[in-house]
Amino acid sequence: MAYLSTRGEAPKISFNEALLAGLAPDGGLYVPENMPRLSPETLRGFAGKPYAEVAETVIAPFLDGALAAADFRAMLEAAYATFRHKAVTPLAQIDDNLFVLELFHGPTLAFKDVAMQLLGRLMDQALKARGRRATIVGATSGDTGAAAIEAFRGLEQVDVFILYPHGRVSDVQRRQMTTVAADNIHAIALEGTFDDAQAMLKRFFRDKALREELGLSGVNSINFARVVAQMVYYFTSAAVLGGPMRKVSFTVPTGNFGDVLAGYMAKQMGLPVEKLIVATNSNDILARALATGRYEVRGVHATQSPSMDIQVSSNFERLLFDAVGRDPTTIRALMASLDQSGAFDIPPAALAAIRADFAAGAASEADTSAEIARAWRECEYILDPHTAVAVHVARKHLARDPATPMVALGTAHPAKFPDAVRAATGVSAPLPAHLADLFEREERFSVVPNDEQAVVGFIRARARAVTAQHGG
Ligand SMILES: *Cc1c(COP(=O)(O)O)cnc(C)c1O
């Protein structure tokens, strides 16, 4: 299967090439040329199957022979063996017809692990096949960095440099990044803000000479392989709730739109989904866009659900591409308008197409806390603030459509956000056993000035892709 760019000005490439490239050179996002379909019999067969087996059936059509079936199966088994729950992504019921899909049983307690554990292994094999090394540089405000470090630790072909704002991430988040003892992992505490780190990273990727010198690769949520890996749990959870004979709705706590886009793709592949509901915190660009048709950037506010504190949702471009009939000229015009004036109007036919599949809602800070308190009071179930945003929005939708089972995606373990949980419930969720000694582990990180040359120098001195190129 070939992959093409949403902006239409980059050549078509293979899965492995899209995997290593991340963003397309024309600034667009890669999408599959055609969407594979799974038959109703295949979907019926998912009931009672292990997670890795369903994953193989769902993902294999996208790989298009990039690796042998047996190797892929072994890779999936290894990736999901890092999860502490045998079911990998189990469902918990918290009200009539309302379920939380627990995506946080991976090594870093956030749903990013589901995709990243597979992405690390896929990249390693793609690089080995090419006899290449790569340097992964990421900027993080918390969850993505930790998930990338866990996924790439100890891999032979890849060195990882994660920039995080010094003194501005939570203790749990920082320790998850700095206590991994692997020679290919480098945590950089940048003397600046997250925006400084992000802006620096964008400049690195735009610098063609540097990109080639370091063999730069990205693992942010626009990497198509991450979206594909996230489709699997829509299939497994629907199978538990009676799919495909019965439709299911999903409410997804949304930031960059990767997770909910995976639900949309699952529907395109044939999964009967009633509605996909985009849940946002007070950074509600998507909820406003669906309500009004105008996608308009405003300032970011800090909330209890920081992984959803975003200004633009990059993956939304993939949905728009489909909604405008896969016309790259329209996408280029809308994105130019976004760059120039911070806004664009979704064409009316595209908006109607989006509304056929999606609904949206926002939760305020007070709504979020009230939801954490309610789930604790009613079920002794502890929600993290991101999941609580989804549960709040899910309940509103369920009131209008009580017959369709509603799955709210649980994207983080409550132990990752102890302050919000304690404030709402008076209790705290303990860290799972594998992280219980997190605060005793030795930290390794380097404080680097907020200066591009200083950061490049640091990376150059340590990235094995550079040495390999110079014959060392
Ligand atoms: C990344 C993240 C999200 C948002 O997911 P997107 O795919 O960016 O929409 C939600 N919750 C948590 C805990 C996350 O880490």
Side-chain angles (χ1 to χ4, degrees):
M1 172 166 352
Y3 289 79
L4 41 89
S5 164
T6 50
R7 310 237 175 138
E9 293 182 323
K12 287 182 197 171
I13 59 175
S14 69
F15 177 83
N16 269 346
E17 287 166 328
L19 169 76
L20 296 175
L23 199 68
D26 61 358
L29 279 67
Y30 285 112
V31 291
E33 190 165 29
N34 319 293
M35 196 51 119
R37 300 241 347 148
L38 297 176
S39 69
E41 301 81 78
T42 303
L43 297 183
R44 271 197 292 280
F46 287 165
K49 287 269 164 60
Y51 189 92
E53 202 173 319
V54 176
E56 184 181 8
T57 308
V58 170
I59 303 173
F62 292 92
L63 304 183
D64 207 21
L67 67 169
D71 294 342
F72 184 47
R73 184 56 189 270
M75 186 185 281
L76 287 166
E77 298 285 355
Y80 295 111
T82 65
F83 280 59
R84 286 159 300 114
H85 198 294
K86 181 70 173 43
V88 183
T89 60
L91 276 175
Q93 185 165 9
I94 59 164
D95 204 340
D96 299 334
N97 235 3
L98 178 58
F99 303 83
V100 173
L101 176 56
E102 297 184 343
L103 304 175
F104 48 71
H105 294 288
T108 72
L109 311 183
F111 95 102
K112 304 276 190 305
D113 289 325
V114 179
M116 209 67 93
Q117 283 294 322
L118 185 61
L119 184 73
R121 290 169 170 85
L122 281 169
M123 277 195 171
D124 207 45
Q125 66 77 27
L127 290 164
K128 273 188 186 135
R130 284 165 170 69
R132 266 181 53 196
R133 286 187 193 280
T135 306
I136 306 251
V137 185
T140 189
S141 52
D143 290 340
T144 305
I149 285 172
E150 277 296 333
F152 288 89
R153 66 191 290 174
L155 294 185
E156 288 165 32
Q157 308 303 115
V158 200
D159 293 301
V160 178
F161 297 83
I162 298 291
L163 296 159
Y164 66 89
H166 189 35
R168 296 177 204 234
V169 299
S170 80
D171 289 350
V172 172
Q173 286 175 325
R174 187 192 68 250
R175 287 187 157 269
Q176 283 186 324
M177 294 190 278
T178 58
T179 59
V180 172
D183 291 339
N184 69 326
I185 299 295
H186 308 274
I188 300 178
L190 188 75
E191 292 181 309
T193 64
F194 171 64
D195 288 334
D196 294 332
Q198 177 114 329
M200 201 180 278
L201 189 71
K202 283 194 176 145
R203 287 195 296 273
F204 292 169
F205 275 89
R206 269 200 301 265
D207 181 341
K208 188 159 182 286
L210 188 68
R211 231 173 35 225
E212 285 173 4
E213 182 199 347
L214 297 178
L216 269 193
S217 226
V219 293
N220 57 11
S221 75
I222 54 97
N223 194 304
F224 184 73
R226 277 183 63 178
V227 181
V228 168
Q230 290 167 9
M231 296 170 59
V232 177
Y233 44 74
Y234 288 91
F235 288 96
T236 57
S237 57
V240 171
L241 295 172
M245 287 70 84
R246 193 168 172 226
K247 281 190 171 183
V248 177
S249 288
F250 294 91
T251 304
V252 187
T254 297
N256 239 330
F257 208 77
D259 205 4
V260 71
L261 181 82
Y264 164 79
M265 284 177 28
K267 187 173 183 180
Q268 303 289 100
M269 278 185 88
L271 185 71
V273 174
E274 178 64 36
K275 260 312 186 232
L276 292 161
I277 298 135
V278 175
T280 66
N281 61 25
S282 50
N283 298 289
D284 60 351
I285 181 166
L286 287 165
R288 283 185 283 115
L290 257 80
T292 66
R294 188 165 174 77
Y295 186 94
E296 184 174 26
V297 175
R298 295 188 187 156
V300 188
H301 335 268
T303 71
Q304 304 171 70
S305 44
S307 300
M308 296 154 68
D309 291 349
I310 49 97
Q311 212 160 5
V312 291
S313 288
S314 314
N315 274 297
F316 189 60
E317 182 170 337
R318 288 191 164 110
L319 174 65
L320 267 181
F321 183 63
D322 274 3
V324 301
R326 300 202 139 204
D327 170 20
T329 314
T330 306
I331 295 295
R332 286 202 299 276
L334 297 179
M335 293 304 146
S337 162
L338 185 65
D339 278 350
Q340 282 147 25
S341 61
F344 61 79
D345 291 304
I346 304 172
L351 185 60
I354 291 171
R355 283 176 178 161
D357 289 320
F358 291 86
S364 68
E365 291 296 277
D367 295 334
T368 306
S369 304
E371 208 54 71
I372 299 173
R374 177 173 172 181
W376 172 246
R377 194 171 63 239
E378 293 182 349
C379 309
E380 294 199 5
Y381 189 84
I382 305 183
L383 296 169
D384 98 281
H386 303 77
T387 311
V389 166
V391 168
H392 176 81
V393 173
R395 284 191 199 280
K396 287 200 168 152
H397 193 86
L398 204 51
R400 290 194 292 276
D401 176 13
T404 306
M406 173 61 78
V407 176
L409 272 57
T411 50
H413 191 289
K416 255 188 132 158
F417 299 93
D419 299 341
V421 166
R422 207 173 308 107
T425 63
V427 299
S428 46
L431 280 168
H434 77 290
L435 287 172
D437 67 343
L438 186 66
F439 283 85
E440 279 97 68
R441 293 183 196 168
E442 189 190 337
E443 290 194 77
R444 292 201 318 177
F445 61 93
S446 307
V447 180
V448 178
N450 183 12
D451 170 75
E452 205 164 315
Q453 282 321 308
V455 175
V456 170
F458 183 92
I459 296 174
R460 221 177 238 139
R462 292 164 181 80
R464 290 171 298 170
V466 177
T467 348
Q469 216 178 49
H470 299 315

